[in-house]
Amino acid sequence: MTGSLTARLVLRRSLPPTRLFFSRGVSLPATEKTKDAVPAVPELPAFDYTPPAYSGPSGDDILAKRREYLSPSILHFYKTPLNVVEGRRQYLFDDKGRRYLDGFGGIATVGCGHCHPDVVAAVVEQTKRLQHSTVLYLNHAVADFAEALASKLPGNLKVAFFTNSGTEANELAILIARLYTGCHDIISLRNSYHGNAAGTMGATAQSIWKFNVVQSGVHHAVNPDPYRGLFGSDGEKYARDVEEIISFGTSGNVAAFISEAIQGVGGIVELAPGYLPAAYSSVRKAGGLCIADEVQAGFARTGSHFWGFEAQGVVPDIVTMAKGIGNGIPLGAVVTTPEIAKALTHRSYFNTFGGNPVSTAAGLAVLRVIEKEKLQENAHVVGSYLKNRLNELKDKYELIGDVRGRGMLLGVELVTDRQHKTPAKNETLHVMDQMKELGVLIGKGGYYGNVFRITPPLCFTKEDADFLVDAMDYTLSRM
């Protein structure tokens, strides 16, 4: 299969650059070209698996059904959408058997790798015994997972409530904070994304993710963005805005402050050093709780730590999580202290599928795989290597304005003018499309849609990292 892919790519290389460029229908401004030789077409690393022949519906048939029967709000990547039919480890396969390196991980969700045998076995075995009952009955799966999860968290963070998604988890965390403190005001960061339900849409601070509905009681603080922010990497200066919001925008008391340590949807923005300790201090003085949204940064993805907030040396009052928690199984959680958890006992609060035995069995398997295969260490070592290689591309191409993030949570921001940091949205779409043709899948994000989100499975290898960077290098060299 690798040979046939290479043959197809060699044919593409014979095309004149202008023909390849305009065949995508994108008009791009001129950018500074490297004086180095044009890179060779990269080859996909070897992999010892070939999927069986696919006999299902074509991509066109599926797209037609989506258009007729699914919400028009559901979008897809690429001009020609990818029909993914199988996955193994860090690779995906389309309906024609072609292999792709997955640099997006289902939006930072597939941590252990696609169809990891240990996770699959846990799901299958639990499904055979008991697929669903209710947490109103006893079952060891949910209790075992809750205990294992508590062992991964600092301080007295040990009481879990399970949900089905990150949005649900953040929604519940905000509710708990309001109940516990008796206050309504929530502070979140500009450029943040916390979900698309009522409370979480209010906490989200990007207009492209917000509808014109009532979103009360939320204040958005200045984002401590080292690349685009006013104060560079001085986290304490940004944190003063939190204190001013409390003083001038509230009664002086707040319910909570919620933030990601590295903004995912916002474009892999790592908060300026020192920001969270200062912000947490101001919020706690105002009687509020500190919520860490670990939906994307959690479960060893940052490599240096198991949780993103740990890099800032803080211990939150509530931690929310999803995505990597189940390696793709719908699962989320809110973990807090026993005292704060009691706030939910003042009325009845229930979730039919929260703590489902199949989902929690998968969650426990994920924790065990991370430990057994040393995926946190791999995320750190390979992620650091990948980031260094991406920084080499930044030195080579003016189009790359910034490389940032940690471990397997990396962002590459494209700009047409480095001084003015003009977003290169069309160029981003073009590079994504061309990298797909080379066999590499990456995501995009940021308010302007000009940031590559590189969030692969944590089993990524250095060979995979080289292939991803070489594909980006090859694509940029032909623009």
Side-chain angles (χ1 to χ4, degrees):
M1 188 190 324
T2 303
S4 62
L5 169 60
T6 304
R8 287 198 295 272
L9 294 178
V10 168
L11 285 175
R12 288 177 56 79
R13 191 167 67 164
S14 65
L15 293 172
T18 52
R19 181 177 168 188
L20 172 66
F21 178 75
F22 288 108
S23 66
R24 292 290 169 185
V26 182
S27 178
L28 305 179
T31 57
E32 183 176 316
K33 297 264 193 315
T34 175
K35 296 179 181 179
D36 298 336
V38 175
V41 178
E43 292 192 26
L44 201 61
F47 191 60
D48 61 354
Y49 177 77
T50 301
Y54 173 74
S55 58
S58 69
D60 289 341
D61 290 339
I62 296 171
L63 189 59
K65 283 188 178 182
R66 280 173 59 129
R67 286 170 176 162
E68 185 171 359
Y69 298 111
L70 293 181
S71 169
S73 66
I74 298 175
L75 305 176
H76 57 73
F77 274 168
Y78 308 116
K79 293 176 181 178
T80 303
L82 194 63
N83 184 12
V84 176
V85 300
E86 197 163 343
R88 283 291 184 279
R89 302 294 286 180
Q90 65 269 44
Y91 295 104
L92 291 171
F93 299 86
D94 69 10
D95 51 351
K96 297 177 178 60
R98 183 178 176 184
R99 179 163 55 102
Y100 296 84
L101 178 65
D102 184 7
F104 198 30
I107 317 180
T109 297
V110 180
C112 300
H114 293 283
C115 301
H116 192 287
D118 291 6
V119 180
V120 170
V123 169
V124 170
E125 289 305 310
Q126 180 59 53
T127 302
K128 287 179 179 178
R129 290 195 304 272
L130 180 68
Q131 186 175 357
H132 179 73
S133 57
T134 167
V135 289
L136 298 174
Y137 307 138
L138 298 184
N139 184 271
H140 70 89
V142 62
D144 290 347
F145 181 45
E147 180 184 32
L149 200 55
S151 73
K152 291 291 185 182
L153 287 154
N156 205 27
L157 292 164
K158 60 184 292 186
V159 178
F161 193 107
F162 292 107
T163 66
N164 305 293
S165 69
T167 291
E168 280 190 1
N170 284 331
E171 196 80 15
L172 178 57
I174 290 171
L175 173 64
I176 290 172
R178 284 172 167 163
L179 294 175
Y180 179 79
T181 63
C183 297
H184 187 71
D185 290 281
I186 302 291
I187 300 174
S188 69
L189 297 177
R190 295 176 188 173
N191 196 53
S192 64
Y193 179 87
H194 298 291
N196 53 18
T200 51
M201 186 178 292
T204 292
Q206 293 187 53
S207 61
I208 55 177
W209 296 104
K210 295 167 77 74
F211 287 88
N212 186 24
V213 295
V214 174
Q215 298 165 41
S216 65
V218 180
H219 310 265
H220 300 117
V222 170
N223 193 36
D225 181 348
Y227 180 62
R228 289 186 174 272
L230 293 173
F231 305 118
S233 295
D234 192 333
E236 292 187 10
K237 284 185 179 179
Y238 292 106
R240 291 173 191 163
D241 190 49
V242 173
E243 191 170 345
E244 291 194 0
I245 285 174
I246 294 169
S247 297
F248 301 106
T250 75
S251 64
N253 295 101
V254 297
F257 169 82
I258 182 171
S259 74
E260 306 159 89
I262 301 178
Q263 295 174 336
V265 174
I268 317 298
V269 177
E270 188 170 8
L271 306 188
Y275 177 78
L276 285 184
Y280 276 24
S281 176
S282 294
V283 170
R284 284 171 171 155
K285 287 177 183 176
L289 301 182
C290 299
I291 304 171
D293 180 340
E294 291 288 319
V295 170
Q296 294 198 34
F299 292 90
R301 179 158 290 281
T302 64
S304 59
H305 301 83
F306 198 84
W307 306 105
F309 64 78
E310 292 178 300
Q312 293 250 345
V314 296
V315 177
D317 302 297
I318 302 174
V319 181
T320 62
M321 54 197 78
K323 291 189 182 291
I325 191 175
N327 204 51
I329 296 295
L331 180 62
V334 177
V335 182
T336 188
T337 67
E339 180 187 3
I340 295 171
K342 289 179 182 177
L344 279 183
T345 64
H346 300 158
R347 296 288 188 275
S348 295
Y349 188 88
F350 189 72
N351 186 314
T352 299
F353 297 104
N356 170 274
V358 176
S359 297
T360 49
L364 182 58
V366 165
L367 289 181
R368 289 173 174 170
V369 168
I370 291 173
E371 290 293 328
K372 182 177 74 172
E373 299 186 1
K374 295 180 169 53
L375 292 183
Q376 181 177 336
E377 180 182 344
N378 190 68
H380 176 63
V381 172
V382 178
S384 298
Y385 175 79
L386 175 56
K387 186 177 181 181
N388 287 337
R389 285 226 51 204
L390 290 168
N391 270 311
E392 290 173 0
L393 284 192
K394 178 187 171 186
D395 294 337
K396 188 175 180 180
Y397 298 102
E398 287 290 318
L399 190 61
I400 298 178
D402 194 33
V403 174
R404 53 186 181 248
R406 288 173 179 250
M408 299 296 186
L409 188 59
L410 300 176
V412 178
E413 180 160 356
L414 300 191
V415 294
T416 56
D417 185 309
R418 280 191 176 182
Q419 181 179 355
H420 297 97
K421 301 176 182 176
T422 309
K425 183 174 182 177
N426 289 339
E427 292 84 348
T428 302
L429 292 171
H430 173 76
V431 173
M432 275 186 67
D433 229 48
Q434 293 304 304
M435 288 183 68
K436 184 200 80 167
E437 296 301 315
L438 293 170
V440 180
L441 308 177
I442 55 177
K444 71 178 180 68
Y447 180 78
Y448 304 104
N450 68 316
V451 182
F452 294 130
R453 293 165 66 189
I454 301 174
T455 57
L458 306 188
C459 55
F460 228 53
T461 67
K462 286 187 176 180
E463 291 75 20
D464 297 322
D466 283 333
F467 179 64
L468 186 152
V469 176
D470 290 347
M472 188 177 293
D473 187 9
Y474 177 80
T475 302
L476 291 171
S477 74
R478 295 168 66 87
M479 292 177 64

